[in-house]
Amino acid sequence: MLMYLLKSTACLATLFLFYKLFLEGQNMHKFKRFYLLAALVLSFGIPLITFTTYMQVPIAIYKTPLEYGNINTTETIVEPTNYWSYLIWSIYGLGVLIFSIKFIKNSTNLFLKIKQNPKQRLENHTNVLLTEKTTPHTFLSYIFLNKKAHQQKQIPKEVLLHEITHAKQKHSIDVLLIEVLQVVFWFNPLIYFIKHAIKLNHEFLADQAVLNQGADTVSYRKILLAFSSNVTEPYMANSINYSSIKKRFTVMKKRTSKRSVVLRSLLLIPLAALLFYSFSNQKTEEILVDTQASHANKNAGKGASEKMMQEYRTFFKKYNNAKKKVIDMTYYQRIIAIYDLMTNEQRATVTDHKTILKFPSVDLKNTTKKAPTQSEFNSWKNKENFAIWIDNKHVPNSVLNKYSASDIVHFNNSYVYKNARSAKFPQEHQVNLFTKQGFTNTYVKADVNTYNSILQKYNSELHSFKKNSEISNDDLEIKNVQLKKLYAEFSKEEIKKYNIVFPESIPVKNSEHLGLVIKEEKQDPLETYKKEYNTYVTLTKQEPHYIHRSEAEKKKIDDLFTLLGSIYFSLSKEDRAKVKRVKAPILPYVILIRNGKTEYKKRSELTEDDKKLLPPPPPPPLPPSNNKQDSKELAKARAAFKKDAYEYGSAVGEYRKEGKGTREELNKLYKKTMKSYEKCSALIKKEKGAAPLPPPPPPAPPIKD
């Protein structure tokens, strides 16, 4: 909250300074009115804008076993309760209350004046005639005048025109907006400066309107001096005020050329860019990618096979020679996947698929529902004119008697030309109706259904590929590209909601390709681990302790810890026995999240209540796939465990670093992950005769009722 206030204040200060230096004294009052209102919107809006940078992270390396593997054997520095925040919020609330009462009181006074005094309704405004002496002023479309002076025509027409301008241009709306903001941000002095600038610009606009009607400038100035006063300006109203007279006289004489207006307006472009860059937020979003994609899939870098290239060229040859251009969209998506597999050199030798369809896919999940009216629904019961489908299934028109119009959330009505009608469907119209469930399956889950359909075929072909002796499989390569492309379009919420599983990598088989022996360059992981471990130990032994270091230093150590954890779990059992397992840098401290705040405390000093704040243990590390062929069921179980472990690790990371979530939620995710682990372990034991996974970690700590 504090950071938001600082950013919005700095943004508003920058915009207001620009106004004072380049705009206030210029005769471009309509533009200035827009600018001042926009300055308020931008200053409070820009700090809320977040620009997201997407970063690819390996799907197989999940945060929990690496970053938080030893979190239950770490320590804590307890911070005292901060009572200043309670005091500050109490003062703020009191200020809001006082200014709210003031706003309501003054608004009520104006409306009572309108209600209790005689009124004279005219075309664009209403005169409210008051018995007390008052400076003419305006609120909304009401102009408040002294009754005696008005009846005796003692108020000059220039003054009346001035107030009528306030009413016609609805200046009171601007004032009401700034008054509401003043209630919320009463502590911000810039709000008062902006309020004064807005009201002064209203006077500029009204003066300009009077002079444009042919009023003599000298005479008008004398009238303003005669009607101005040093009395308090009516609250939330526009009136002639003495304190602004000198500046108004100066601006009246000012002439601003069109060129000057354009140049000053152009200055706003770099200013806006600077504000967005300086005061908006930056966020990095992680995108899961296949950990083996860069080294396990030998297709990466070599492009599409010659067989694929021939298939791609044949498609375009048939399409170009066809008299009737009809595209099978399912097959067309395959053609796009082949194009995606090509290298730049290969693409240069073929026609780009976008020459046929620039936008080959339709975003069905964002389809807007179109419900029928009762008359439309009743007309569809006529079987002579309409053929009916409900949720993509053809039904007799009489079935509509079992439904009501409210049961249908969306429909498509297509006119069928005579040459396209058939004996089975001779009607002029074909109408496809969708219930709530049908709309979800057809539109909302369109991409999910497509993904799962391709994934099912992919897993079946992958299972067969692992068992046979073929070196490569074009269909697998194509489906793999299609699946990864679709997966990248899903949000984290969709992945979680629909349990979308990332496709398993295509295993590498030693072979010869085009007469060249493919040799995988390998780096000895054991030697790498030893080297990085020594670096890690040196860093962690330096003073001060990890918990007292800067965020940059912590990140460097965390990254190295994660890398070592990843390498350690990829080592064979024999190699693990040769090295020490890396320990968390936070030792001998543990992290506790208490009321959303992070605490560091030594494990030996933990109370029973402290222990209940510890997050559950991490899930077991995912074992690397071995050369033995997994069954389709085991492959699916591995992928499910991988997904659950990553989801749980991410949740623990947010709990630890940002205080998000609760221990109850973490325990639910932990239990879900362990269930996936046990299923995977049982299948490995069943198929391989022994489970290569390490034993599960200790159970999660109990949850306090």
Side-chain angles (χ1 to χ4, degrees):
M1 185 65 179
L2 178 61
M3 184 56 64
Y4 170 78
L5 291 175
L6 290 174
K7 285 184 175 182
S8 63
T9 301
C11 192
L12 186 60
T14 304
L15 290 167
F16 184 65
L17 180 63
F18 181 88
Y19 176 81
K20 296 293 288 185
L21 293 176
F22 297 102
L23 298 178
E24 186 179 56
Q26 303 303 312
N27 194 344
M28 43 194 296
H29 310 312
K30 290 182 180 179
F31 176 81
K32 290 192 295 183
R33 182 186 184 189
F34 166 79
Y35 175 89
L36 289 169
L37 294 175
L40 290 170
V41 174
L42 289 174
S43 61
F44 293 117
I46 288 177
L48 297 175
I49 296 173
T50 299
F51 293 99
T52 304
T53 302
Y54 293 95
M55 180 180 69
Q56 293 185 340
V57 297
I59 195 170
I61 298 177
Y62 33 87
K63 296 177 182 177
T64 303
L66 306 183
E67 266 189 77
Y68 317 107
N70 295 301
I71 193 169
N72 283 351
T73 57
T74 43
E75 240 187 65
T76 314
I77 299 169
V78 180
E79 296 177 3
T81 304
N82 185 4
Y83 293 101
W84 280 105
S85 61
Y86 298 105
L87 178 62
I88 292 171
W89 278 108
S90 299
I91 295 172
Y92 171 75
L94 182 62
V96 170
L97 179 64
I98 293 172
F99 278 84
S100 297
I101 293 172
K102 184 179 178 183
F103 177 80
I104 294 170
K105 179 183 175 182
N106 286 284
S107 301
T108 303
N109 288 340
L110 283 169
F111 284 111
L112 285 176
K113 277 186 180 183
I114 294 169
K115 184 178 180 180
Q116 295 173 356
N117 288 282
K119 291 173 281 294
Q120 185 182 51
R121 290 182 174 81
L122 300 174
E123 184 178 355
N124 296 315
H125 66 280
T126 300
N127 291 334
V128 180
L129 305 178
L130 308 176
T131 54
E132 68 267 21
K133 289 186 178 181
T134 183
T135 303
H137 55 278
T138 305
F139 177 69
L140 299 175
S141 60
Y142 297 93
I143 299 176
F144 298 87
L145 304 168
N146 177 264
K147 182 178 180 181
K148 182 179 178 181
H150 178 65
Q151 290 176 342
Q152 295 178 0
K153 301 187 182 302
Q154 294 176 354
I155 303 175
K157 64 178 182 180
E158 289 86 355
V159 173
L160 292 175
L161 180 57
H162 181 101
E163 298 303 326
I164 289 170
T165 301
H166 285 313
K168 287 176 68 176
Q169 295 185 4
K170 297 180 172 37
H171 292 167
S172 295
I173 301 296
D174 303 0
V175 177
L176 284 171
L177 171 64
I178 194 67
E179 291 292 344
V180 171
L181 289 175
Q182 187 175 304
V183 170
V184 180
F185 299 100
W186 58 267
F187 53 86
N188 190 340
L190 284 173
I191 292 292
Y192 301 89
F193 291 122
I194 290 286
K195 175 183 173 182
H196 174 75
I198 287 174
K199 297 185 79 170
L200 178 59
N201 193 61
H202 289 165
E203 300 306 315
F204 292 158
L205 285 164
D207 292 339
Q208 187 179 53
V210 173
L211 296 176
N212 288 344
Q213 291 293 321
D216 179 66
T217 303
V218 176
S219 300
Y220 181 58
R221 289 178 184 173
K222 292 179 180 178
I223 292 171
L224 288 179
L225 286 171
F227 272 81
S228 64
S229 67
N230 285 315
V231 297
T232 303
E233 183 179 348
Y235 193 79
M236 295 196 303
N238 295 95
S239 69
I240 299 171
N241 188 282
Y242 182 80
S243 62
S244 64
I245 289 294
K246 183 177 179 181
K247 189 169 287 187
R248 288 165 63 183
F249 286 175
T250 303
V251 173
M252 281 183 201
K253 297 184 291 182
K254 187 77 173 181
R255 293 292 179 267
T256 304
S257 65
K258 289 184 178 180
R259 181 182 179 184
S260 178
V261 172
V262 171
L263 289 175
R264 291 168 195 274
S265 301
L266 289 175
L267 286 175
L268 291 175
I269 297 175
L271 177 64
L274 177 65
L275 293 176
F276 274 96
Y277 179 79
S278 303
F279 302 115
S280 60
N281 302 302
Q282 305 292 326
K283 183 177 77 171
T284 300
E285 192 78 25
E286 294 180 348
I287 300 176
L288 307 183
V289 296
D290 192 356
T291 52
Q292 301 175 6
S294 61
H295 54 82
N297 188 348
K298 287 299 177 183
N299 187 68
K302 73 179 180 62
S305 68
E306 186 54 41
K307 185 179 176 182
M308 293 182 199
M309 296 296 292
Q310 186 58 43
E311 181 180 352
Y312 189 90
R313 293 189 183 99
T314 301
F315 169 81
F316 271 90
K317 185 177 180 180
K318 288 182 178 179
Y319 177 82
N320 293 329
N321 293 337
K323 293 181 179 179
K324 191 175 183 180
K325 309 291 186 184
V326 179
I327 299 176
D328 180 346
M329 289 305 298
T330 302
Y331 185 69
Y332 188 63
Q333 294 299 328
R334 177 183 171 89
I335 293 299
I336 294 173
I338 293 174
Y339 188 83
D340 291 339
L341 278 166
M342 295 180 192
T343 62
N344 290 332
E345 291 75 13
Q346 289 176 323
R347 291 179 183 179
T349 65
V350 297
T351 306
D352 190 337
H353 64 84
K354 291 180 181 178
T355 57
I356 296 178
L357 290 176
K358 190 170 184 180
F359 303 102
S361 60
V362 180
D363 189 9
L364 292 176
K365 67 182 178 183
N366 290 321
T367 299
T368 304
K369 293 179 181 178
K370 181 175 65 174
T373 63
Q374 188 62 50
S375 59
E376 285 175 323
F377 182 80
N378 292 335
S379 68
W380 296 332
K381 296 178 181 180
N382 185 341
K383 65 180 181 180
E384 303 298 328
N385 295 332
F386 298 95
I388 301 297
W389 282 258
I390 296 180
D391 294 339
N392 295 313
K393 182 181 179 181
H394 175 63
V395 297
N397 298 64
S398 57
V399 171
L400 292 178
N401 293 322
K402 299 179 182 180
Y403 292 85
S404 64
S406 60
D407 293 329
I408 308 302
V409 299
H410 184 69
F411 72 93
N412 292 320
N413 188 352
S414 303
Y415 180 80
V416 185
Y417 289 94
K418 286 185 178 182
N419 61 348
R421 297 171 196 169
S422 63
K424 187 176 181 180
F425 301 112
Q427 297 91 338
E428 291 184 352
H429 296 271
Q430 293 184 357
V431 185
N432 202 339
L433 312 179
F434 296 93
T435 61
K436 184 178 180 180
Q437 186 60 45
F439 182 83
T440 299
N441 291 335
T442 304
Y443 291 95
V444 179
K445 293 179 62 178
D447 292 343
V448 176
N449 293 336
T450 300
Y451 183 87
N452 288 335
S453 176
I454 298 174
L455 183 64
Q456 186 177 6
K457 296 175 184 176
Y458 175 78
N459 287 336
S460 177
E461 293 179 19
L462 185 62
H463 181 64
S464 300
F465 176 73
K466 288 179 179 180
K467 289 184 175 181
N468 61 38
S469 59
E470 64 178 325
I471 295 167
S472 64
N473 187 303
D474 286 351
D475 284 340
L476 275 178
E477 301 285 0
I478 292 168
K479 288 185 176 66
N480 187 273
V481 169
Q482 289 179 302
L483 288 169
K484 288 178 179 177
K485 195 171 183 178
L486 284 169
Y487 190 90
E489 296 297 324
F490 293 125
S491 64
K492 285 187 176 180
E493 291 73 20
E494 288 175 317
I495 292 172
K496 183 177 180 180
K497 182 177 180 181
Y498 299 118
N499 196 27
I500 301 170
V501 179
F502 192 81
E504 184 180 349
S505 297
I506 303 171
V508 179
K509 296 186 177 181
N510 293 330
S511 63
E512 289 189 2
H513 179 70
L514 299 179
L516 298 174
V517 177
I518 300 176
K519 294 182 179 179
E520 186 168 2
E521 293 183 7
K522 292 187 177 179
Q523 199 172 13
D524 185 356
L526 182 60
E527 292 303 318
T528 302
Y529 183 87
K530 289 178 179 178
K531 179 182 177 182
E532 298 297 342
Y533 182 85
N534 291 333
T535 303
Y536 177 79
V537 170
T538 303
L539 282 173
T540 52
K541 283 188 176 180
Q542 292 174 355
E543 293 295 336
H545 189 274
Y546 169 85
I547 65 172
H548 300 297
R549 297 195 186 185
S550 67
E551 291 302 319
E553 289 177 309
K554 285 182 180 179
K555 185 178 185 306
K556 183 178 179 180
I557 296 173
D558 286 342
D559 290 343
L560 190 53
F561 175 62
T562 301
L563 174 65
L564 286 168
S566 177
I567 298 173
Y568 181 84
F569 289 118
S570 69
L571 296 175
S572 65
K573 186 177 181 180
E574 292 75 18
D575 285 344
R576 287 186 195 178
K578 299 175 183 177
V579 295
K580 291 182 179 180
R581 181 175 173 179
V582 63
K583 294 182 179 180
I586 199 173
L587 287 172
Y589 292 86
V590 293
I591 290 178
L592 302 177
I593 305 295
R594 198 190 308 272
N595 299 324
K597 296 180 181 178
T598 301
E599 298 178 1
Y600 297 95
K601 197 170 184 180
K602 288 186 176 180
R603 186 169 185 79
S604 59
E605 298 174 0
L606 291 179
T607 64
E608 289 303 315
D609 288 336
D610 289 337
K611 291 177 181 178
K612 292 173 183 178
L613 295 176
L614 293 171
L622 183 70
S625 297
N626 51 34
N627 293 327
K628 297 179 181 180
Q629 305 303 320
D630 291 343
S631 67
K632 182 178 178 182
E633 186 179 9
L634 178 54
K636 187 175 180 181
R638 284 184 187 275
F641 173 74
K642 184 188 297 184
K643 175 180 176 294
D644 291 342
Y646 186 88
E647 183 180 344
Y648 173 75
S650 299
V652 173
E654 291 179 351
Y655 178 82
R656 177 194 174 194
K657 293 185 176 181
E658 304 173 30
K660 291 183 179 179
T662 63
R663 288 191 70 258
E664 287 78 5
E665 292 171 348
L666 291 180
N667 272 280
K668 286 180 182 179
L669 290 174
Y670 171 75
K671 289 175 182 177
K672 181 182 176 185
T673 304
M674 289 306 302
K675 189 175 180 181
S676 299
Y677 168 82
E678 289 162 4
K679 181 179 179 181
C680 190
S681 181
L683 286 171
I684 291 175
K685 188 173 182 179
K686 178 182 176 183
E687 295 183 17
K688 318 296 182 184
L693 293 172
I703 302 172
K704 184 178 179 181
D705 292 334

